[in-house]
Amino acid sequence: MNQQVTYANYPVIYLLNGDKEAYIGETVYFKRRMREHLRTRKHVNRMHVIQHEKFNRSATFHLETKLINYFLGDEKYILQNKSKVVNDFTHNYYNKSYYDQTLFQALWQTLYEKKLVDHPLHVIENKDIFKLSPFKELSLEQIELKENILAFCEQYIQEETKEYGNLLVIEGEAGVGKSVVLSSIFNTMQAQVGEPSSPLYNTENYLVVNHEEMFKTYKAIAKQVQHLKVKHFAKPTPLINRLKKKNDKVDIILVDEAHLLLTKSDAYNNFKEDNHLEELLKLAKIVIVIYDQDQVLKMKSLWDTIKLEQLKALSQHCETYQLTNQFRMQANDDVLAWINAFKNKQLLPLPTDAQYDFRVFDTLEAMHAAIKNCNQTFGLSRVVATFDYLHKKDGGTYYVNESNGEYKMPWNTTNPIYTWAENPSTINEAGSIYTIQGFDLNYVGVVLGPSIQYRNGQLVIDTSLYMDKGAYAGAEGIDQVALAKEKIILNSINILMKRGIKGLYIYASDKALRQTLLGVQ
């Protein structure tokens, strides 16, 4: 850090900040760039220049983006930065690891010592707001998808729509980076809303998610980015009801976790129509959804290929894209294949992976102790459980119980402000599918409850023991209800097992399944 510019035509990074807002940039034309900022930028009155004799343009581009993401996660300042499409792609360059790790760590430590940031790196890296940052660098697959989606919007935004708008579906399983792409796309769209030269100028757009924990995270991001507004993030039922009451139609609606949208009316949640997505298609020129058929958790959200194809046919124009590259789990293909096989009721021998910690435990107590150790070392490690324990109640608290011992853990708690995993006290609890879906953990300990069993050499799902009775509501009109119930439980297991970045631990309540898993370990 240096207040005195010595490299007038040399790549530098700079921080402009006031008491509440900040802007981060990079340039090789420092004096000209500062004149522009002094003329146009408000609420920033201090300047800090970051110089290094080994800086090159690739390094400063990369470090600028990295700083923006970490400043967002630090939450000290509201960021004035807008999306830069050119910086979205994470490319390689000479000696990148030096800049990305050694130099950046030293830079952040200097910022921390000067009290320009409030948190060390490891704290920020475990925050959901950081992981879902709209400024993240994207893979080639993700940037291509983003460009196609923006082109789709620009092509059809001026077109008159009939009863149903245009639909774009993004498909991909857990961990392929769907939400990161959506967050990036919405950030770019909302930046272009204020640009008179953009086809998206003055458009009214919303990002929708039918998931309370993720909704909290998106709102937290909106509070830290100047051009994002909390009012443009919504849950589907309130947005639908408000727009219908006003007889209003908006421009673009992006839907994260679209597999959680309702496919039946739900009086409890004040949704009177038959299908969330169908109503959204009536209320927007363009609807963009992220969808994974293996993450449906309720009968009233049960999608099938036929219904989705019907809605695609109803839309004015429709395109579908697939995301395939796994980003969350640092595991090899054998580990992913094992989880996918389990999801299909096939039990394979436990694979080995030198980079991924995959283990089975004989007791819940031992697994919880291991997760606590991981949490102390790496942070953000938690125990989660299938929804099999609601019937166990003691003094108003629900518990996950060890079937072969006395150990038990409180579970399924929520906080109106913090996401479950970011509350430090939840290291002593077990989370449910509803507290953890869509989020990352460094290490996850999964409790397979009594509904998951092993009988006569095969996995068996006893749907009568699954205690999330709300998951079974709305079965009317569904063919093969028993199979649908089973799929919901298997989907929940798939989601829980794919939360861990560095490791997956398993404890099975069913004795036969536990012994079999220990035997194949």
Side-chain angles (χ1 to χ4, degrees), residues 243-469:
L243 294 177
K244 288 175 74 72
K245 185 176 181 179
K246 293 169 57 180
N247 194 26
D248 196 9
K249 194 165 187 173
V250 301
D251 293 295
I252 304 171
I253 295 176
L254 293 83
V255 185
D256 199 0
E257 307 282 350
H259 35 268
L260 301 181
L261 294 177
L262 298 179
T263 57
K264 295 180 181 296
S265 60
D266 186 358
Y268 178 77
N269 288 303
N270 200 30
F271 180 62
K272 300 175 182 178
E273 286 76 18
D274 294 326
N275 186 289
H276 266 156
L277 180 53
E278 184 169 359
E279 296 308 311
L280 292 171
L281 275 168
K282 294 176 182 177
L283 294 169
K285 292 181 179 179
I286 297 168
V287 177
I288 299 161
V289 303
I290 281 177
Y291 171 73
D292 179 4
Q293 64 178 355
D294 291 331
Q295 292 199 52
V296 176
L297 298 172
K298 293 181 181 293
M299 290 285 198
K300 59 190 177 186
S301 299
L302 192 63
W303 288 86
D304 58 48
T305 303
I306 295 174
K307 183 60 180 177
L308 186 57
E309 291 303 317
Q310 288 173 344
L311 293 175
K312 288 180 179 180
L314 286 171
S315 62
Q316 201 154 316
H317 301 279
C318 180
E319 293 182 13
T320 302
Y321 290 90
Q322 293 278 346
L323 278 175
T324 58
N325 293 329
Q326 177 64 235
F327 288 99
R328 177 184 294 126
M329 299 176 67
Q330 296 173 1
N332 61 27
D333 291 342
D334 291 341
V335 172
L336 295 170
W338 190 95
I339 297 172
N340 290 333
F342 197 99
K343 177 185 66 180
N344 293 315
K345 297 200 300 183
Q346 300 171 22
L347 189 55
L348 304 176
L350 249 67
T352 57
D353 185 341
Q355 305 302 318
Y356 195 78
D357 191 2
F358 189 12
R359 283 188 266 167
V360 177
F361 287 79
D362 185 44
T363 67
L364 173 60
E365 185 174 12
M367 186 175 78
H368 190 200
I371 287 293
K372 284 182 176 179
N373 287 335
C374 292
N375 192 61
Q376 288 181 341
T377 304
F378 303 99
L380 205 65
S381 301
R382 295 291 186 272
V383 172
V384 296
T386 54
F387 216 117
D388 291 343
Y389 298 92
L390 189 59
H391 61 300
K392 300 290 186 183
K393 194 171 183 181
D394 180 11
T397 301
Y398 301 114
Y399 287 93
V400 170
N401 294 269
E402 189 173 66
S403 65
N404 56 329
E406 300 296 322
Y407 202 71
K408 63 181 182 180
M409 298 178 65
W411 91 302
N412 202 33
T413 63
T414 57
N415 183 296
I417 300 174
Y418 301 105
T419 55
W420 177 80
E422 288 191 349
N423 186 340
S425 67
T426 58
I427 184 59
N428 298 311
E429 303 173 358
S432 78
I433 188 67
Y434 300 113
T435 55
I436 204 63
Q437 185 176 22
F439 295 109
D440 295 346
L441 294 169
N442 285 324
Y443 287 79
V444 62
V446 176
V447 180
L448 299 175
S451 67
I452 302 97
Q453 305 170 358
Y454 194 74
R455 300 289 183 269
N456 301 317
Q458 62 183 4
L459 283 170
V460 175
I461 306 299
D462 187 342
T463 59
S464 68
L465 298 179
Y466 196 63
M467 302 310 297
D468 182 14
K469 299 308 180 186

Side-chain angles (χ1 to χ4, degrees), residues 199-259:
L200 302 182
Y201 178 60
N202 269 347
T203 51
E204 182 180 2
N205 312 315
Y206 292 88
L207 194 155
V208 169
V209 61
N210 199 28
H211 185 303
E212 184 60 37
E213 297 296 298
M214 291 199 74
F215 186 46
K216 292 175 191 175
T217 301
Y218 277 122
K219 288 194 295 184
I221 290 172
K223 291 176 182 177
Q224 296 303 127
V225 181
Q226 189 180 60
H227 65 271
L228 295 179
K229 308 298 179 187
V230 172
K231 67 180 181 179
H232 290 138
F233 295 82
K235 298 183 82 173
T237 297
L239 179 63
I240 289 168
N241 291 343
R242 177 165 60 84
L243 294 177
K244 288 175 74 72
K245 185 176 181 179
K246 293 169 57 180
N247 194 26
D248 196 9
K249 194 165 187 173
V250 301
D251 293 295
I252 304 171
I253 295 176
L254 293 83
V255 185
D256 199 0
E257 307 282 350
H259 35 268

